[in-house]
Amino acid sequence: MSAVTGDGCALCDLPLGETAIAGEDGDRYCCRGCERVSLTLEDVPDAAVREGTDADPTEPDDPPPGTECAFFRVDGMHCSTCELFVERVAAASEGVERVAASYVSETVRIDYDPDETDEAELAEVLTGLGYTAYPRDDAVARRQAEDRTEARLIVGVLFGMVVMMQYVLLIYPLHVRPPYYDARTHEFLVEMVTSDVAVPFFVVLFALTSVVFFVTGRPIIRGAYVSLKTRNPNMDLLVTIAAGAAYAYSTLAVAVGRVDVYYDVTVAIVLVVTVGGYYESAVKRKAGDLLSALSSAQVEEARRYEPDGSTTTVDVAALEPGDRVLVPGGERVPVDGRVVEGEGAVDEAVVTGESLPVGKTEGDAVVGGSLLTDGALVVEVGAGAASSVDRIADLVWNLQSSSSGIQQLADRLATIFVPLVSVLALVVAALYLLTGAGLAAALLVGLTVLIVSCPCALGLATPLAVATSVREAMERGVVVFDETVFERVRDVDVVVFDKTGTLTTGRMEVLDAEGPDDLFERAAALERRSAHPVAGAIADAFGPGADAFDVGSDDDSAVTGGSAVETDGGVPEGERVGAAGADGPVPDAAAVTGEGGAEEPADDRVSDFSAYATGVGGVVDGQEVLVGHPDLFDDRGWTVPDELTEAVAAERTFGRLPVLVGRDGAAEGWVTVGDEPRDGWAETIAGLDARGVEVVVLTGDDEAAASFFREHDGVDEVYAGVPPEGKAETVRRLRSRGRTAMVGDGTNDAPALASADLGIALGGGTALAADAADVAIVDDDLASIETVFALSAAAGRRVKQNIGWAFCYNAIAIPIAIAGLLNPLFAAVAMGASSALVVTNSSRTLLPDGGEGND
């Protein structure tokens, strides 16, 4: 995404509203955060993104005029060659303007002309390639695709068992006579497989093996075809050559009357590799099920005001610009718009990442997906009738579909091994011909070389090691969505952290206070009438049953992260507020109960309760009490001593939210509320720093809220006040420094998670963040990031060990084949032994003691 100089922000391209600023470089920006990123991190062309990272995942341009955009999930697209092939074939289809594919997310984006084609035809085109394509959000189609995969595997196992049984009982004993077979039995077997009776026997073996090879092995054969079309040899090609060579060898041997048939090798290769891949996929699906409880901030229905003053529940898609919708407390704003009636506190963390709600009154803009925590609003639908959350979701889909994967180690080795073995087989066959061997004998020896270069162990090396890594990660509360994660994380150079909800808890808590205990207790009684998060923090800290809070002085305050309120008088648009409530003039708003909305608890001590945009007031135990922003005290004409004014100003500099508390016309104390850093955050950053990883904090919150992290030795840079689209562009620019990982928890982090080389979402975040990430930490434990790095290192060593075993097998078996000493029993035993070694090695625990691994 290059910088723009049109009507949008020069960094993130968001529309420029009344808050637009002119940057020092002459460009215009939507906020100070975008300006600082633009001035600090230079834009780089796509080609300048560090070599070795994933393909640049910047958002594709808007669809060309007159075209529409469709997203498909394509099952079976499991490697970088699949991406290239799907893009080439789909782009050649009539009506398709542009295609972007990603095997990492199994997503394909197609921009097409609706006059020439439609989504149904495009799905058929992709499915016709041998893959299974369907709309990305079609859960039924996904389940059907998984059922077909399982059916192919079941058929292969059943038919394969029949084939292998014949070999164990009839063919293997011909080559190595078991001690329990007497001479008469052996003679009977020889006669049976060499007489006319053997013809139908071998025909049956041929038929059963054909089903295994062409039905169960169909995805493997397709992958081989794709690799040839794209001129990029991969593991599928290696597997197909070996299995196909055994199949062709055996069929030719039967035709010339030989008994050394290798249908067992074909069956074993196809089933071993298929089962290994299926096991890996099953482990990942099981891990993904852990996140089923994640919440989503996208709104499907809205209460629309009708001309007669009534409200009607309608689908959000039916809203048009200019419509008015009622948003009760506890519900999410359905679309972007502007407040026309009412007052309330809106939690915009899902979009902006800011930890404290924002006070909204008539004329203020609100964003779709944000949560109205207190009060009620009537919102006029803005231009486009779109939600910011929906816009972010579209951005994530764009980023995912254009973010290509990386080639696994086994595939990279296959690009060398496949041509090498093929050339070796041809050379051996030619040498046999030159030394006087017959054509049939020379051809069979060449095919034998291809057969014994059996890729079973090599094909299992990566999927089994990855499956073990995914399983162990899951046991430690870490969910992995993409099999390339453990390969990518080993090369991470930069880790970018979101602040609110990631480095901090994201929960409002009382951090410090000074004033009379009895006044705080009355303030808590008053705050229980408000649904505002800050009010909840005060009620929890000073209400009945709460642990005694250590009320100290300014000197006792500790510097912690949080959010700031900065004002020079009145509360400006978008100001963060204190313990705010709202009971603005919204028609019938009090009669509407939103899901999750708070009900006022009965409290005989409180009377004459009033809620304001910046605080609450009322009479408690006969005393008039006021809690809120200093401006509320000024508006109400209450006295604020100079020492309290100075204390509040000092608290703001620490990036926290101070709230004044007073009674009977005068302020007597203050309470500071904020969200504290998570336990272990410093150790996590120190661990990354010790690995030589650059650490960056990227937040939508303001500079004061992020200043605490700027002072930490392990943090290299802090970028504050950056919107979601700006976060994605910031990550793109950071990727020029090396492979970049992003750690976040909210919907606002999703574009950055999707645009990073590796996205890590905390499991307590939103579903959209998890969808955009490659890794999710279910228990919100930042220490699990170190676990991911440790598992990655251990998995890398395990894969290399497995590949080492595979090449040891080939180093022994290929020379024996060249010498013409190979027989079917040796091939079966050697193949089984090599595969068993890989399976045994892969099943060992990677991190038995939670350390760096046992390899």
Side-chain angles (χ1 to χ4, degrees), residues 363-590:
D364 290 343
V366 290
V367 294
S370 58
L371 177 66
L372 181 62
T373 61
D374 201 9
L377 302 174
V378 173
V379 176
E380 184 176 83
V381 177
S387 165
S388 291
V389 169
D390 292 335
R391 187 184 68 247
I392 292 173
D394 289 340
L395 176 57
V396 170
W397 277 28
N398 288 335
L399 291 170
Q400 285 186 327
S401 63
S402 60
S403 177
S404 63
I406 61 175
Q407 194 177 32
Q408 294 182 353
L409 176 59
D411 281 341
R412 294 198 294 270
L413 291 174
T415 62
I416 301 173
F417 190 65
V418 171
L420 181 62
V421 171
S422 300
V423 170
L424 180 61
L426 290 175
V427 170
V428 169
L431 288 176
Y432 267 77
L433 280 175
L434 292 176
T435 56
L439 177 61
L443 184 59
L444 288 176
V445 171
L447 288 174
T448 303
V449 172
L450 292 177
I451 293 170
V452 299
S453 63
C454 171
C456 282
L458 193 57
L460 289 173
T462 297
L464 290 188
V466 168
T468 299
S469 306
V470 172
R471 188 190 67 240
E472 290 197 25
M474 182 172 56
E475 292 170 352
R476 290 168 168 80
V478 178
V479 176
V480 175
F481 301 107
D482 169 25
E483 67 273 13
T484 68
V485 162
F486 296 109
E487 187 172 355
R488 285 184 284 158
V489 76
R490 289 193 289 276
D491 298 324
V492 165
D493 302 292
V494 182
V495 175
V496 184
F497 285 93
D498 168 55
K499 182 188 77 69
T500 305
T502 302
L503 289 177
T504 66
T505 63
R507 297 186 302 271
M508 294 298 101
E509 299 177 1
V510 172
L511 306 179
D512 204 354
E514 181 181 5
D517 289 341
D518 64 323
L519 178 58
F520 289 137
E521 193 271 334
R522 287 178 169 82
L526 195 65
E527 293 286 26
R528 284 198 296 275
R529 293 290 188 100
S530 174
H532 194 286
V534 176
I538 294 175
D540 291 342
F542 300 108
D547 295 335
F549 189 86
D550 183 14
V551 178
S553 63
D554 291 349
D555 295 335
D556 296 327
S557 63
V559 180
T560 56
S563 297
V565 176
E566 296 182 354
T567 179
D568 295 321
V571 182
E573 179 181 349
E575 178 68 290
R576 297 168 184 77
V577 298
D583 56 356
V586 181
D588 300 325

Side-chain angles (χ1 to χ4, degrees), residues 690-703:
R691 292 178 180 270
V693 176
E694 181 181 354
V695 176
V696 176
V697 176
L698 179 62
T699 177
D701 219 333
D702 58 27
E703 185 65 34

Side-chain angles (χ1 to χ4, degrees), residues 76-87 103 131 223 226:
M77 187 171 62
H78 62 275
C79 64
S80 55
T81 52
C82 291
E83 291 176 353
L84 183 59
F85 182 68
V86 167
E87 288 179 350
Y103 90 82
Y131 302 95
V226 167

Side-chain angles (χ1 to χ4, degrees), residues 606-692:
V606 178
S607 60
D608 297 331
F609 175 81
S610 298
Y612 309 96
T614 55
V616 294
V619 177
V620 184
D621 294 337
Q623 294 182 323
E624 186 176 4
V625 178
L626 189 65
V627 185
H629 194 280
D631 289 346
L632 177 61
F633 281 72
D634 291 340
D635 294 341
R636 301 281 295 170
W638 285 44
T639 302
V640 180
D642 292 341
E643 59 270 21
L644 288 184
T645 300
E646 294 173 0
V648 167
E651 288 297 302
R652 289 195 191 115
T653 63
F654 294 144
R656 302 187 293 181
L657 178 68
V659 176
L660 286 176
V661 182
R663 56 185 163 189
D664 296 334
E668 298 183 19
W670 53 268
V671 178
T672 297
V673 178
D675 60 334
E676 291 192 288
R678 287 187 183 276
D679 293 339
W681 75 273
E683 291 80 1
T684 297
I685 289 179
L688 293 173
D689 187 53
R691 292 178 180 270

